[in-house]
Amino acid sequence: MSTEYVVEPAPVVSLPVDGRSGRFPVARLFCIGRNYAAHAVEMGHDPDREPPFFFLKPPTAVVTSGIFPYPADAGAVHHEVELVVALGSGGADISPDAALDCVFGYGVGIDMTLRDLQAEAKTLGRPWDVAKGFDGSAPCGALTPASRIGHPDRGTISLSVNGEERQSGDLAQMIWKTPEIIATLSRRFRLRPGDLILTGTPAGVGPVIPGDEIVASIAGVGKLEVSVGG
């Protein structure tokens, strides 16, 4: 017997998978903050004294069209290139040794941030979810299965705007590695198949405006090209 709903259910948000016709259904987006020391310093924090922390974006943040819908009255909108970890299985209290067994694959994502709104919220001691979780704030590329590329823990991660390199780092610079991130999250949430984890960004974040062309890439994982819409 089919379930009757009083309003139309939201459509399933999904990502393409490189080399496959099937798509990856997205459950939740977990993001880790200040996971590269240079970016923590860039944002005015001390990575030696402040461990990374987590926040969430809704599935409606995911954009796969290659066009970032620039928000109206946005102020400064900043780019943050990140390695995306896609979970094919989950659970609670996962050990770091077993964490990578949960990973389906990896991709390239961009955490778009309303920097003015975030700064104001920080000053006032208020949550800054809206600055990170607005619709369209997570452009993502196709996932590459771990069965093909393994589990990348080093390699160049970079982003350019209009051909000018803005961000460049290495996955090896992550303070918390992928197994540690998964294990830590699983102590606070029961992780599910379809969960995505954005693993932090290197230094060099900066603004984008309508008409800009963004190219983000991670060696051995993939490339994401995004046009900033008006």
Side-chain angles (χ1 to χ4, degrees):
M1 181 177 178
S2 61
T3 302
E4 181 179 347
Y5 298 98
V6 296
V7 297
E8 188 70 21
V12 175
V13 175
S14 63
L15 292 176
V17 178
D18 187 53
R20 300 192 186 181
S21 57
R23 296 179 67 89
F24 182 91
V26 175
R28 296 170 293 182
L29 282 77
F30 296 97
C31 306
I32 183 171
R34 302 169 196 159
N35 200 28
Y36 287 74
H39 175 59
V41 172
E42 177 180 55
M43 299 305 295
H45 301 276
D46 184 347
D48 293 328
R49 292 189 300 108
E50 281 194 36
F53 63 95
F54 298 96
F55 58 92
L56 284 85
K57 290 177 179 273
T60 52
V62 173
V63 174
T64 61
S65 64
I67 299 175
F68 167 63
Y70 196 89
D73 301 322
V77 181
H78 281 201
H79 56 75
E80 300 185 5
V81 60
E82 313 209 5
L83 172 71
V84 177
V85 179
L87 300 186
S89 62
D93 296 320
I94 300 167
S95 71
D97 290 342
L100 293 181
D101 294 337
C102 299
V103 177
F104 168 79
Y106 298 89
V108 182
I110 305 174
D111 171 16
M112 292 294 195
T113 303
L114 303 180
R115 194 68 77 198
D116 291 350
L117 187 60
Q118 183 191 38
E120 180 183 13
K122 287 180 179 180
T123 299
L124 297 174
R126 297 174 178 172
W128 36 271
D129 305 58
V130 175
K132 288 284 191 177
F134 60 96
D135 286 352
S137 62
C140 291
L143 299 176
T144 304
S147 59
R148 188 194 310 170
I149 62 170
H151 299 284
D153 58 4
R154 61 187 62 250
T156 301
I157 175 171
S158 63
L159 181 144
S160 65
V161 178
N162 301 326
E164 176 189 354
E165 186 172 84
R166 297 268 190 90
Q167 294 184 263
S168 182
D170 195 286
L171 297 179
Q173 297 168 336
M174 288 168 55
I175 298 171
W176 286 12
K177 311 305 182 184
T178 300
E180 297 170 312
I181 295 171
I182 294 172
T184 301
L185 277 173
S186 74
R187 292 197 291 270
R188 303 173 187 175
F189 302 89
R190 178 172 288 277
L191 298 178
R192 309 172 190 167
D195 284 341
L196 300 179
I197 304 171
L198 278 67
T199 55
T201 194
V205 302
V208 295
I209 59 174
D212 281 347
E213 297 292 333
I214 304 171
V215 178
S217 64
I218 300 175
V221 175
K223 181 168 72 171
L224 171 62
E225 299 182 3
V226 176
S227 300
V228 180

